[in-house]
Amino acid sequence: MSIIAPAETATETSHFIDGCWTARGGPTFAVRNPLDDSLVAEAAAGGRADAEAAVAAAAAAFPAWAAMPPGERQRLFLKAADIVDAREDEIVRLMAREGGSSRAFAAFQIRLSAAMLRQAAGWGYLPAGDVLRSDVAGRTATVTRKPLGVVAGFTPWNGAFYLAWRTFLLPMAFGNTTVIKPSEEAPLSAGLIHAEILEQAGFPAGSFNVVTHAPGAAAEIADVFFASPAVRCIDFTGSDRTARILGERAGRALKRMVLELGGFNPVLVLDEADIEEAVKAVTFGAFLHQGQVCMNSRKVYIARDRHDEFVAGLRARVEALKVGDPTDPEVIIGPLINDRAVAQIDERVRDAVDRGATLVTGGTHEGRLYRPTILTHVPPEAICTTGCDETFGPLLVIEAFDDVETAIADAQSTPYGLSAAIMTGDRGRGLDIAERFDAGIVHVNAPTMASEAALPVGGVKDSGWGRSGHYAIEDFTEVRLTTVSRDPGRYPF
Ligand code: ADP
């Protein structure tokens, strides 16, 4: 079957539980195109019973998946990567219709996803542990990494295709089985398409399960995850607001959490930087997927004597970005995901302008198509400059600095610590500053979005816990100590 209807008409989708497409004929909810509200799919509106069945299937599949030799898992991952490549055009169309993704953003995600699958295919061969020295003569101590069990993942709507892979592939590569609950905004591109691909690749039944749900039913499904002893880890990608709710519950249930949350992602453009290069990096970093990615750049700090040149260059490049229907391959800026997102950015741009900010470009919208927007001279009290709450849309604030130390301090004054970028003509200076950034990722001479499948992505502070790449072994395994003693023990009583 394919969840992507050939004639681009609406399709009806089901859950994927224990290797079967279930719940056809049950309650559904409408998944709509954010551009024009046309119907993309009627998706299964799951609840407690579906989540319980999915967790039971994942728990039953766990022993065999955990014990599968690395070469067998490797074959499955490599096959899935080939299927991702082969289905690129379909996936691009799906992401445009369901999530408003431009071809550029969809292709970026597809390349990263296939690369991550190929990377993960080798992780089964990473060392399984260590042999440690013991103070007891004749005792051997070994430490072995073991998978946790079932990992329950909340996958987001924004970088839906890639971030869903990131959510379940990392735990699966280290021997865990998974249940995914995609965002109600994008159940197809944040989970169901993956189920199709894994089914096609021949993954064993129950190793990967997807339960979709209507708006408002997330908490019911989360209840099942928190209540189930089989679920050993909750992997959430989304806002810190929801992460706090889930984190409190994880605390009560004593479950491990991996959190990939928001960011404010400053860019520092130093006085000796190549301005043309900085303009390109910032345009990409700030406006990819119309600013709806956790790693988009939100604020640029530029040396005052290069400010006007930079702003003029950026304005010209940004105004040339085509805004419209993302099924047009030339469109870079598609629609925002929903009316709430449009209202948020609109309110923040107006608030800043009312307080005296200069609107360099943008600030208007047609429906959910919001023009890429640049503000300068934004007063500190404007909502969009505080970084307490990222504006999830195509809004970039630019601030001139006289003293780089003040800019570095200000760039780190937000609660977030995901990604940062430094554009400089002096790599040594860039590295010195990078050392001082409190962020999970710092790029010198690359955009804040410069992701690669093999490199660890993750945040500090309110941006979350956990890392992608093979570093995820820390998040998705636990360490088992085994000792064997040769001699009789010596005991004090
Ligand atoms: P938004 O999509 O509104 O920006 P987030 O990014 O925080 O919100 O993440 C939304 C994800 O969290 C979705 O998958 C949604 O279903 C889920 N979610 C929202 N509220 C809750 C809750 N109280 N309990 C469990 N999951 C929730």
mmCIF file with all atom_site columns, all heavy atoms in Angstrom, residues 2 6 15 17 30 146 215 254 268 275 289 304 309-310 315 337 345 363 365 376 380 410 413 426 438 452:
data_model
loop_
_atom_site.group_PDB
_atom_site.id
_atom_site.type_symbol
_atom_site.label_atom_id
_atom_site.label_alt_id
_atom_site.label_comp_id
_atom_site.label_asym_id
_atom_site.label_entity_id
_atom_site.label_seq_id
_atom_site.pdbx_PDB_ins_code
_atom_site.Cartn_x
_atom_site.Cartn_y
_atom_site.Cartn_z
_atom_site.occupancy
_atom_site.B_iso_or_equiv
_atom_site.pdbx_formal_charge
_atom_site.auth_seq_id
_atom_site.auth_comp_id
_atom_site.auth_asym_id
_atom_site.auth_atom_id
_atom_site.pdbx_PDB_model_num
ATOM 1   N N   . SER A 1 2   ? 0.284  2.352  -0.400 1.00 0.00 ? 2   SER A N   1
ATOM 2   C CA  . SER A 1 2   ? 1.001  3.618  -0.249 1.00 0.00 ? 2   SER A CA  1
ATOM 3   C C   . SER A 1 2   ? 0.057  4.629  0.367  1.00 0.00 ? 2   SER A C   1
ATOM 4   O O   . SER A 1 2   ? -1.097 4.745  -0.041 1.00 0.00 ? 2   SER A O   1
ATOM 5   C CB  . SER A 1 2   ? 1.474  4.130  -1.598 1.00 0.00 ? 2   SER A CB  1
ATOM 6   O OG  . SER A 1 2   ? 2.038  5.414  -1.405 1.00 0.00 ? 2   SER A OG  1
ATOM 7   N N   . PRO A 1 6   ? -2.005 8.388  -5.435 1.00 0.00 ? 6   PRO A N   1
ATOM 8   C CA  . PRO A 1 6   ? -1.374 8.713  -6.709 1.00 0.00 ? 6   PRO A CA  1
ATOM 9   C C   . PRO A 1 6   ? -1.905 9.986  -7.343 1.00 0.00 ? 6   PRO A C   1
ATOM 10  O O   . PRO A 1 6   ? -1.170 10.758 -7.913 1.00 0.00 ? 6   PRO A O   1
ATOM 11  C CB  . PRO A 1 6   ? -1.674 7.488  -7.579 1.00 0.00 ? 6   PRO A CB  1
ATOM 12  C CG  . PRO A 1 6   ? -2.607 6.627  -6.807 1.00 0.00 ? 6   PRO A CG  1
ATOM 13  C CD  . PRO A 1 6   ? -2.641 7.089  -5.394 1.00 0.00 ? 6   PRO A CD  1
ATOM 14  N N   . HIS A 1 15  ? -3.290 3.050  11.781 1.00 0.00 ? 15  HIS A N   1
ATOM 15  C CA  . HIS A 1 15  ? -2.103 2.886  12.622 1.00 0.00 ? 15  HIS A CA  1
ATOM 16  C C   . HIS A 1 15  ? -1.263 1.760  12.027 1.00 0.00 ? 15  HIS A C   1
ATOM 17  O O   . HIS A 1 15  ? -1.737 0.975  11.207 1.00 0.00 ? 15  HIS A O   1
ATOM 18  C CB  . HIS A 1 15  ? -2.502 2.473  14.047 1.00 0.00 ? 15  HIS A CB  1
ATOM 19  C CG  . HIS A 1 15  ? -3.575 3.325  14.641 1.00 0.00 ? 15  HIS A CG  1
ATOM 20  N ND1 . HIS A 1 15  ? -3.431 4.676  14.820 1.00 0.00 ? 15  HIS A ND1 1
ATOM 21  C CD2 . HIS A 1 15  ? -4.815 3.016  15.114 1.00 0.00 ? 15  HIS A CD2 1
ATOM 22  C CE1 . HIS A 1 15  ? -4.533 5.168  15.361 1.00 0.00 ? 15  HIS A CE1 1
ATOM 23  N NE2 . HIS A 1 15  ? -5.393 4.187  15.542 1.00 0.00 ? 15  HIS A NE2 1
ATOM 24  N N   . ILE A 1 17  ? 0.664  -1.260 13.645 1.00 0.00 ? 17  ILE A N   1
ATOM 25  C CA  . ILE A 1 17  ? 0.915  -1.931 14.928 1.00 0.00 ? 17  ILE A CA  1
ATOM 26  C C   . ILE A 1 17  ? 1.228  -3.397 14.658 1.00 0.00 ? 17  ILE A C   1
ATOM 27  O O   . ILE A 1 17  ? 0.459  -4.085 13.979 1.00 0.00 ? 17  ILE A O   1
ATOM 28  C CB  . ILE A 1 17  ? -0.314 -1.809 15.869 1.00 0.00 ? 17  ILE A CB  1
ATOM 29  C CG1 . ILE A 1 17  ? -0.613 -0.332 16.159 1.00 0.00 ? 17  ILE A CG1 1
ATOM 30  C CG2 . ILE A 1 17  ? -0.081 -2.577 17.170 1.00 0.00 ? 17  ILE A CG2 1
ATOM 31  C CD1 . ILE A 1 17  ? -1.890 -0.084 16.940 1.00 0.00 ? 17  ILE A CD1 1
ATOM 32  N N   . ALA A 1 30  ? -9.243 14.891 10.078 1.00 0.00 ? 30  ALA A N   1
ATOM 33  C CA  . ALA A 1 30  ? -8.790 15.425 8.790  1.00 0.00 ? 30  ALA A CA  1
ATOM 34  C C   . ALA A 1 30  ? -7.391 16.015 8.917  1.00 0.00 ? 30  ALA A C   1
ATOM 35  O O   . ALA A 1 30  ? -7.107 16.776 9.843  1.00 0.00 ? 30  ALA A O   1
ATOM 36  C CB  . ALA A 1 30  ? -9.757 16.508 8.323  1.00 0.00 ? 30  ALA A CB  1
ATOM 37  N N   . LYS A 1 146 ? 23.562 -2.439 27.057 1.00 0.00 ? 146 LYS A N   1
ATOM 38  C CA  . LYS A 1 146 ? 22.324 -3.176 26.751 1.00 0.00 ? 146 LYS A CA  1
ATOM 39  C C   . LYS A 1 146 ? 21.257 -2.187 26.305 1.00 0.00 ? 146 LYS A C   1
ATOM 40  O O   . LYS A 1 146 ? 21.161 -1.094 26.877 1.00 0.00 ? 146 LYS A O   1
ATOM 41  C CB  . LYS A 1 146 ? 21.807 -3.851 28.028 1.00 0.00 ? 146 LYS A CB  1
ATOM 42  C CG  . LYS A 1 146 ? 22.775 -4.835 28.646 1.00 0.00 ? 146 LYS A CG  1
ATOM 43  C CD  . LYS A 1 146 ? 22.605 -6.166 27.976 1.00 0.00 ? 146 LYS A CD  1
ATOM 44  C CE  . LYS A 1 146 ? 23.456 -7.213 28.663 1.00 0.00 ? 146 LYS A CE  1
ATOM 45  N NZ  . LYS A 1 146 ? 23.525 -8.440 27.881 1.00 0.00 ? 146 LYS A NZ  1
ATOM 46  N N   . PRO A 1 215 ? -6.317 15.976 17.152 1.00 0.00 ? 215 PRO A N   1
ATOM 47  C CA  . PRO A 1 215 ? -5.953 17.045 18.085 1.00 0.00 ? 215 PRO A CA  1
ATOM 48  C C   . PRO A 1 215 ? -6.659 16.831 19.423 1.00 0.00 ? 215 PRO A C   1
ATOM 49  O O   . PRO A 1 215 ? -7.829 16.443 19.455 1.00 0.00 ? 215 PRO A O   1
ATOM 50  C CB  . PRO A 1 215 ? -6.469 18.313 17.390 1.00 0.00 ? 215 PRO A CB  1
ATOM 51  C CG  . PRO A 1 215 ? -6.506 17.960 15.938 1.00 0.00 ? 215 PRO A CG  1
ATOM 52  C CD  . PRO A 1 215 ? -6.799 16.488 15.865 1.00 0.00 ? 215 PRO A CD  1
ATOM 53  N N   . LEU A 1 254 ? 9.584  7.848  36.821 1.00 0.00 ? 254 LEU A N   1
ATOM 54  C CA  . LEU A 1 254 ? 11.009 7.484  36.793 1.00 0.00 ? 254 LEU A CA  1
ATOM 55  C C   . LEU A 1 254 ? 11.408 6.878  35.448 1.00 0.00 ? 254 LEU A C   1
ATOM 56  O O   . LEU A 1 254 ? 11.969 5.802  35.376 1.00 0.00 ? 254 LEU A O   1
ATOM 57  C CB  . LEU A 1 254 ? 11.352 6.525  37.941 1.00 0.00 ? 254 LEU A CB  1
ATOM 58  C CG  . LEU A 1 254 ? 11.333 7.157  39.326 1.00 0.00 ? 254 LEU A CG  1
ATOM 59  C CD1 . LEU A 1 254 ? 11.663 6.124  40.391 1.00 0.00 ? 254 LEU A CD1 1
ATOM 60  C CD2 . LEU A 1 254 ? 12.308 8.326  39.402 1.00 0.00 ? 254 LEU A CD2 1
ATOM 61  N N   . LEU A 1 268 ? 26.922 35.456 14.939 1.00 0.00 ? 268 LEU A N   1
ATOM 62  C CA  . LEU A 1 268 ? 27.818 36.584 15.169 1.00 0.00 ? 268 LEU A CA  1
ATOM 63  C C   . LEU A 1 268 ? 28.573 36.829 13.867 1.00 0.00 ? 268 LEU A C   1
ATOM 64  O O   . LEU A 1 268 ? 29.260 35.923 13.378 1.00 0.00 ? 268 LEU A O   1
ATOM 65  C CB  . LEU A 1 268 ? 28.819 36.150 16.237 1.00 0.00 ? 268 LEU A CB  1
ATOM 66  C CG  . LEU A 1 268 ? 29.179 37.093 17.351 1.00 0.00 ? 268 LEU A CG  1
ATOM 67  C CD1 . LEU A 1 268 ? 27.941 37.510 18.110 1.00 0.00 ? 268 LEU A CD1 1
ATOM 68  C CD2 . LEU A 1 268 ? 30.159 36.406 18.314 1.00 0.00 ? 268 LEU A CD2 1
ATOM 69  N N   . ILE A 1 275 ? 31.255 39.363 3.829  1.00 0.00 ? 275 ILE A N   1
ATOM 70  C CA  . ILE A 1 275 ? 29.839 39.709 3.995  1.00 0.00 ? 275 ILE A CA  1
ATOM 71  C C   . ILE A 1 275 ? 28.945 38.940 3.020  1.00 0.00 ? 275 ILE A C   1
ATOM 72  O O   . ILE A 1 275 ? 27.846 38.501 3.378  1.00 0.00 ? 275 ILE A O   1
ATOM 73  C CB  . ILE A 1 275 ? 29.638 41.242 3.852  1.00 0.00 ? 275 ILE A CB  1
ATOM 74  C CG1 . ILE A 1 275 ? 30.285 41.954 5.053  1.00 0.00 ? 275 ILE A CG1 1
ATOM 75  C CG2 . ILE A 1 275 ? 28.159 41.622 3.756  1.00 0.00 ? 275 ILE A CG2 1
ATOM 76  C CD1 . ILE A 1 275 ? 29.701 41.643 6.416  1.00 0.00 ? 275 ILE A CD1 1
ATOM 77  N N   . HIS A 1 289 ? 12.636 26.442 5.553  1.00 0.00 ? 289 HIS A N   1
ATOM 78  C CA  . HIS A 1 289 ? 11.321 26.038 6.064  1.00 0.00 ? 289 HIS A CA  1
ATOM 79  C C   . HIS A 1 289 ? 10.599 27.195 6.772  1.00 0.00 ? 289 HIS A C   1
ATOM 80  O O   . HIS A 1 289 ? 10.005 27.021 7.828  1.00 0.00 ? 289 HIS A O   1
ATOM 81  C CB  . HIS A 1 289 ? 11.426 24.832 6.990  1.00 0.00 ? 289 HIS A CB  1
ATOM 82  C CG  . HIS A 1 289 ? 10.102 24.121 7.149  1.00 0.00 ? 289 HIS A CG  1
ATOM 83  N ND1 . HIS A 1 289 ? 9.228  23.919 6.117  1.00 0.00 ? 289 HIS A ND1 1
ATOM 84  C CD2 . HIS A 1 289 ? 9.507  23.585 8.242  1.00 0.00 ? 289 HIS A CD2 1
ATOM 85  C CE1 . HIS A 1 289 ? 8.158  23.292 6.559  1.00 0.00 ? 289 HIS A CE1 1
ATOM 86  N NE2 . HIS A 1 289 ? 8.297  23.083 7.838  1.00 0.00 ? 289 HIS A NE2 1
ATOM 87  N N   . ARG A 1 304 ? 29.286 46.902 13.835 1.00 0.00 ? 304 ARG A N   1
ATOM 88  C CA  . ARG A 1 304 ? 28.549 48.092 13.383 1.00 0.00 ? 304 ARG A CA  1
ATOM 89  C C   . ARG A 1 304 ? 29.043 48.618 12.032 1.00 0.00 ? 304 ARG A C   1
ATOM 90  O O   . ARG A 1 304 ? 28.244 48.999 11.183 1.00 0.00 ? 304 ARG A O   1
ATOM 91  C CB  . ARG A 1 304 ? 28.602 49.210 14.444 1.00 0.00 ? 304 ARG A CB  1
ATOM 92  C CG  . ARG A 1 304 ? 27.662 50.366 14.108 1.00 0.00 ? 304 ARG A CG  1
ATOM 93  C CD  . ARG A 1 304 ? 27.557 51.402 15.209 1.00 0.00 ? 304 ARG A CD  1
ATOM 94  N NE  . ARG A 1 304 ? 27.114 50.865 16.489 1.00 0.00 ? 304 ARG A NE  1
ATOM 95  C CZ  . ARG A 1 304 ? 25.831 50.603 16.807 1.00 0.00 ? 304 ARG A CZ  1
ATOM 96  N NH1 . ARG A 1 304 ? 24.875 50.794 15.924 1.00 0.00 ? 304 ARG A NH1 1
ATOM 97  N NH2 . ARG A 1 304 ? 25.531 50.121 17.998 1.00 0.00 ? 304 ARG A NH2 1
ATOM 98  N N   . GLU A 1 309 ? 26.070 47.398 4.975  1.00 0.00 ? 309 GLU A N   1
ATOM 99  C CA  . GLU A 1 309 ? 26.415 46.538 3.837  1.00 0.00 ? 309 GLU A CA  1
ATOM 100 C C   . GLU A 1 309 ? 25.719 45.177 3.983  1.00 0.00 ? 309 GLU A C   1
ATOM 101 O O   . GLU A 1 309 ? 25.131 44.638 3.033  1.00 0.00 ? 309 GLU A O   1
ATOM 102 C CB  . GLU A 1 309 ? 27.941 46.367 3.874  1.00 0.00 ? 309 GLU A CB  1
ATOM 103 C CG  . GLU A 1 309 ? 28.544 45.531 2.813  1.00 0.00 ? 309 GLU A CG  1
ATOM 104 C CD  . GLU A 1 309 ? 30.037 45.225 3.128  1.00 0.00 ? 309 GLU A CD  1
ATOM 105 O OE1 . GLU A 1 309 ? 30.612 45.775 4.096  1.00 0.00 ? 309 GLU A OE1 1
ATOM 106 O OE2 . GLU A 1 309 ? 30.584 44.416 2.402  1.00 0.00 ? 309 GLU A OE2 1
ATOM 107 N N   . PHE A 1 310 ? 25.757 44.637 5.194  1.00 0.00 ? 310 PHE A N   1
ATOM 108 C CA  . PHE A 1 310 ? 25.155 43.324 5.452  1.00 0.00 ? 310 PHE A CA  1
ATOM 109 C C   . PHE A 1 310 ? 23.641 43.378 5.265  1.00 0.00 ? 310 PHE A C   1
ATOM 110 O O   . PHE A 1 310 ? 23.048 42.528 4.587  1.00 0.00 ? 310 PHE A O   1
ATOM 111 C CB  . PHE A 1 310 ? 25.505 42.866 6.882  1.00 0.00 ? 310 PHE A CB  1
ATOM 112 C CG  . PHE A 1 310 ? 24.850 41.590 7.288  1.00 0.00 ? 310 PHE A CG  1
ATOM 113 C CD1 . PHE A 1 310 ? 25.298 40.370 6.798  1.00 0.00 ? 310 PHE A CD1 1
ATOM 114 C CD2 . PHE A 1 310 ? 23.763 41.590 8.167  1.00 0.00 ? 310 PHE A CD2 1
ATOM 115 C CE1 . PHE A 1 310 ? 24.686 39.177 7.166  1.00 0.00 ? 310 PHE A CE1 1
ATOM 116 C CE2 . PHE A 1 310 ? 23.145 40.406 8.538  1.00 0.00 ? 310 PHE A CE2 1
ATOM 117 C CZ  . PHE A 1 310 ? 23.606 39.197 8.041  1.00 0.00 ? 310 PHE A CZ  1
ATOM 118 N N   . ARG A 1 315 ? 18.828 41.908 2.550  1.00 0.00 ? 315 ARG A N   1
ATOM 119 C CA  . ARG A 1 315 ? 17.507 42.326 2.073  1.00 0.00 ? 315 ARG A CA  1
ATOM 120 C C   . ARG A 1 315 ? 17.318 41.906 0.611  1.00 0.00 ? 315 ARG A C   1
ATOM 121 O O   . ARG A 1 315 ? 16.287 41.332 0.247  1.00 0.00 ? 315 ARG A O   1
ATOM 122 C CB  . ARG A 1 315 ? 17.377 43.840 2.214  1.00 0.00 ? 315 ARG A CB  1
ATOM 123 C CG  . ARG A 1 315 ? 16.082 44.346 1.672  1.00 0.00 ? 315 ARG A CG  1
ATOM 124 C CD  . ARG A 1 315 ? 16.000 45.836 1.712  1.00 0.00 ? 315 ARG A CD  1
ATOM 125 N NE  . ARG A 1 315 ? 14.721 46.230 1.173  1.00 0.00 ? 315 ARG A NE  1
ATOM 126 C CZ  . ARG A 1 315 ? 14.161 47.396 1.338  1.00 0.00 ? 315 ARG A CZ  1
ATOM 127 N NH1 . ARG A 1 315 ? 14.763 48.307 2.052  1.00 0.00 ? 315 ARG A NH1 1
ATOM 128 N NH2 . ARG A 1 315 ? 12.994 47.658 0.819  1.00 0.00 ? 315 ARG A NH2 1
ATOM 129 N N   . ILE A 1 337 ? 2.490  26.567 9.374  1.00 0.00 ? 337 ILE A N   1
ATOM 130 C CA  . ILE A 1 337 ? 1.740  25.334 9.602  1.00 0.00 ? 337 ILE A CA  1
ATOM 131 C C   . ILE A 1 337 ? 0.274  25.581 9.937  1.00 0.00 ? 337 ILE A C   1
ATOM 132 O O   . ILE A 1 337 ? -0.591 24.810 9.535  1.00 0.00 ? 337 ILE A O   1
ATOM 133 C CB  . ILE A 1 337 ? 2.412  24.451 10.697 1.00 0.00 ? 337 ILE A CB  1
ATOM 134 C CG1 . ILE A 1 337 ? 1.785  23.068 10.767 1.00 0.00 ? 337 ILE A CG1 1
ATOM 135 C CG2 . ILE A 1 337 ? 2.406  25.140 12.053 1.00 0.00 ? 337 ILE A CG2 1
ATOM 136 C CD1 . ILE A 1 337 ? 2.106  22.169 9.609  1.00 0.00 ? 337 ILE A CD1 1
ATOM 137 N N   . ILE A 1 345 ? 3.652  35.284 14.816 1.00 0.00 ? 345 ILE A N   1
ATOM 138 C CA  . ILE A 1 345 ? 4.710  36.103 14.193 1.00 0.00 ? 345 ILE A CA  1
ATOM 139 C C   . ILE A 1 345 ? 4.173  37.507 13.912 1.00 0.00 ? 345 ILE A C   1
ATOM 140 O O   . ILE A 1 345 ? 4.857  38.510 14.145 1.00 0.00 ? 345 ILE A O   1
ATOM 141 C CB  . ILE A 1 345 ? 5.299  35.432 12.925 1.00 0.00 ? 345 ILE A CB  1
ATOM 142 C CG1 . ILE A 1 345 ? 6.431  36.283 12.353 1.00 0.00 ? 345 ILE A CG1 1
ATOM 143 C CG2 . ILE A 1 345 ? 4.286  35.119 11.872 1.00 0.00 ? 345 ILE A CG2 1
ATOM 144 C CD1 . ILE A 1 345 ? 7.232  35.593 11.262 1.00 0.00 ? 345 ILE A CD1 1
ATOM 145 N N   . GLY A 1 363 ? 6.850  41.412 6.909  1.00 0.00 ? 363 GLY A N   1
ATOM 146 C CA  . GLY A 1 363 ? 5.850  41.925 7.834  1.00 0.00 ? 363 GLY A CA  1
ATOM 147 C C   . GLY A 1 363 ? 4.434  41.819 7.307  1.00 0.00 ? 363 GLY A C   1
ATOM 148 O O   . GLY A 1 363 ? 3.499  42.296 7.953  1.00 0.00 ? 363 GLY A O   1
ATOM 149 N N   . HIS A 1 365 ? 1.409  39.216 5.085  1.00 0.00 ? 365 HIS A N   1
ATOM 150 C CA  . HIS A 1 365 ? 1.120  37.829 4.707  1.00 0.00 ? 365 HIS A CA  1
ATOM 151 C C   . HIS A 1 365 ? -0.156 37.732 3.891  1.00 0.00 ? 365 HIS A C   1
ATOM 152 O O   . HIS A 1 365 ? -1.028 38.613 3.954  1.00 0.00 ? 365 HIS A O   1
ATOM 153 C CB  . HIS A 1 365 ? 1.018  36.943 5.954  1.00 0.00 ? 365 HIS A CB  1
ATOM 154 C CG  . HIS A 1 365 ? -0.129 37.285 6.854  1.00 0.00 ? 365 HIS A CG  1
ATOM 155 N ND1 . HIS A 1 365 ? -1.282 36.558 6.891  1.00 0.00 ? 365 HIS A ND1 1
ATOM 156 C CD2 . HIS A 1 365 ? -0.302 38.286 7.756  1.00 0.00 ? 365 HIS A CD2 1
ATOM 157 C CE1 . HIS A 1 365 ? -2.110 37.087 7.778  1.00 0.00 ? 365 HIS A CE1 1
ATOM 158 N NE2 . HIS A 1 365 ? -1.537 38.137 8.323  1.00 0.00 ? 365 HIS A NE2 1
ATOM 159 N N   . THR A 1 376 ? 15.431 45.577 12.257 1.00 0.00 ? 376 THR A N   1
ATOM 160 C CA  . THR A 1 376 ? 16.633 46.125 12.910 1.00 0.00 ? 376 THR A CA  1
ATOM 161 C C   . THR A 1 376 ? 16.175 47.129 13.969 1.00 0.00 ? 376 THR A C   1
ATOM 162 O O   . THR A 1 376 ? 14.984 47.469 14.033 1.00 0.00 ? 376 THR A O   1
ATOM 163 C CB  . THR A 1 376 ? 17.543 46.862 11.898 1.00 0.00 ? 376 THR A CB  1
ATOM 164 O OG1 . THR A 1 376 ? 16.776 47.898 11.300 1.00 0.00 ? 376 THR A OG1 1
ATOM 165 C CG2 . THR A 1 376 ? 18.072 45.935 10.819 1.00 0.00 ? 376 THR A CG2 1
ATOM 166 N N   . PRO A 1 380 ? 15.022 46.443 23.370 1.00 0.00 ? 380 PRO A N   1
ATOM 167 C CA  . PRO A 1 380 ? 15.185 45.222 24.170 1.00 0.00 ? 380 PRO A CA  1
ATOM 168 C C   . PRO A 1 380 ? 13.881 44.697 24.748 1.00 0.00 ? 380 PRO A C   1
ATOM 169 O O   . PRO A 1 380 ? 13.747 43.502 24.997 1.00 0.00 ? 380 PRO A O   1
ATOM 170 C CB  . PRO A 1 380 ? 16.137 45.653 25.296 1.00 0.00 ? 380 PRO A CB  1
ATOM 171 C CG  . PRO A 1 380 ? 16.447 47.082 25.101 1.00 0.00 ? 380 PRO A CG  1
ATOM 172 C CD  . PRO A 1 380 ? 15.830 47.567 23.843 1.00 0.00 ? 380 PRO A CD  1
ATOM 173 N N   . ASP A 1 410 ? 25.289 38.913 25.176 1.00 0.00 ? 410 ASP A N   1
ATOM 174 C CA  . ASP A 1 410 ? 23.869 39.049 24.859 1.00 0.00 ? 410 ASP A CA  1
ATOM 175 C C   . ASP A 1 410 ? 23.364 37.812 24.118 1.00 0.00 ? 410 ASP A C   1
ATOM 176 O O   . ASP A 1 410 ? 22.261 37.317 24.377 1.00 0.00 ? 410 ASP A O   1
ATOM 177 C CB  . ASP A 1 410 ? 23.649 40.306 24.013 1.00 0.00 ? 410 ASP A CB  1
ATOM 178 C CG  . ASP A 1 410 ? 22.183 40.668 23.957 1.00 0.00 ? 410 ASP A CG  1
ATOM 179 O OD1 . ASP A 1 410 ? 21.654 41.068 25.014 1.00 0.00 ? 410 ASP A OD1 1
ATOM 180 O OD2 . ASP A 1 410 ? 21.559 40.503 22.884 1.00 0.00 ? 410 ASP A OD2 1
ATOM 181 N N   . SER A 1 413 ? 22.293 35.165 26.442 1.00 0.00 ? 413 SER A N   1
ATOM 182 C CA  . SER A 1 413 ? 21.446 35.531 27.575 1.00 0.00 ? 413 SER A CA  1
ATOM 183 C C   . SER A 1 413 ? 20.077 34.869 27.485 1.00 0.00 ? 413 SER A C   1
ATOM 184 O O   . SER A 1 413 ? 19.212 35.135 28.298 1.00 0.00 ? 413 SER A O   1
ATOM 185 C CB  . SER A 1 413 ? 21.305 37.051 27.623 1.00 0.00 ? 413 SER A CB  1
ATOM 186 O OG  . SER A 1 413 ? 20.662 37.474 26.434 1.00 0.00 ? 413 SER A OG  1
ATOM 187 N N   . ASP A 1 426 ? 38.747 35.098 10.257 1.00 0.00 ? 426 ASP A N   1
ATOM 188 C CA  . ASP A 1 426 ? 39.877 34.670 11.080 1.00 0.00 ? 426 ASP A CA  1
ATOM 189 C C   . ASP A 1 426 ? 39.425 33.429 11.856 1.00 0.00 ? 426 ASP A C   1
ATOM 190 O O   . ASP A 1 426 ? 38.756 33.528 12.882 1.00 0.00 ? 426 ASP A O   1
ATOM 191 C CB  . ASP A 1 426 ? 40.231 35.836 12.021 1.00 0.00 ? 426 ASP A CB  1
ATOM 192 C CG  . ASP A 1 426 ? 41.361 35.500 12.975 1.00 0.00 ? 426 ASP A CG  1
ATOM 193 O OD1 . ASP A 1 426 ? 41.685 34.304 13.133 1.00 0.00 ? 426 ASP A OD1 1
ATOM 194 O OD2 . ASP A 1 426 ? 41.908 36.452 13.568 1.00 0.00 ? 426 ASP A OD2 1
ATOM 195 N N   . ASP A 1 438 ? 27.874 28.714 25.185 1.00 0.00 ? 438 ASP A N   1
ATOM 196 C CA  . ASP A 1 438 ? 27.171 27.694 25.940 1.00 0.00 ? 438 ASP A CA  1
ATOM 197 C C   . ASP A 1 438 ? 26.064 27.145 25.035 1.00 0.00 ? 438 ASP A C   1
ATOM 198 O O   . ASP A 1 438 ? 24.908 27.544 25.128 1.00 0.00 ? 438 ASP A O   1
ATOM 199 C CB  . ASP A 1 438 ? 26.588 28.353 27.198 1.00 0.00 ? 438 ASP A CB  1
ATOM 200 C CG  . ASP A 1 438 ? 26.243 27.326 28.249 1.00 0.00 ? 438 ASP A CG  1
ATOM 201 O OD1 . ASP A 1 438 ? 26.603 26.147 28.065 1.00 0.00 ? 438 ASP A OD1 1
ATOM 202 O OD2 . ASP A 1 438 ? 25.608 27.706 29.248 1.00 0.00 ? 438 ASP A OD2 1
ATOM 203 N N   . GLU A 1 452 ? 24.636 17.471 9.828  1.00 0.00 ? 452 GLU A N   1
ATOM 204 C CA  . GLU A 1 452 ? 25.115 16.291 9.090  1.00 0.00 ? 452 GLU A CA  1
ATOM 205 C C   . GLU A 1 452 ? 24.688 15.077 9.893  1.00 0.00 ? 452 GLU A C   1
ATOM 206 O O   . GLU A 1 452 ? 24.694 15.110 11.135 1.00 0.00 ? 452 GLU A O   1
ATOM 207 C CB  . GLU A 1 452 ? 26.636 16.303 8.989  1.00 0.00 ? 452 GLU A CB  1
ATOM 208 C CG  . GLU A 1 452 ? 27.190 17.293 8.017  1.00 0.00 ? 452 GLU A CG  1
ATOM 209 C CD  . GLU A 1 452 ? 28.699 17.133 7.904  1.00 0.00 ? 452 GLU A CD  1
ATOM 210 O OE1 . GLU A 1 452 ? 29.164 16.009 7.683  1.00 0.00 ? 452 GLU A OE1 1
ATOM 211 O OE2 . GLU A 1 452 ? 29.386 18.142 8.079  1.00 0.00 ? 452 GLU A OE2 1
#
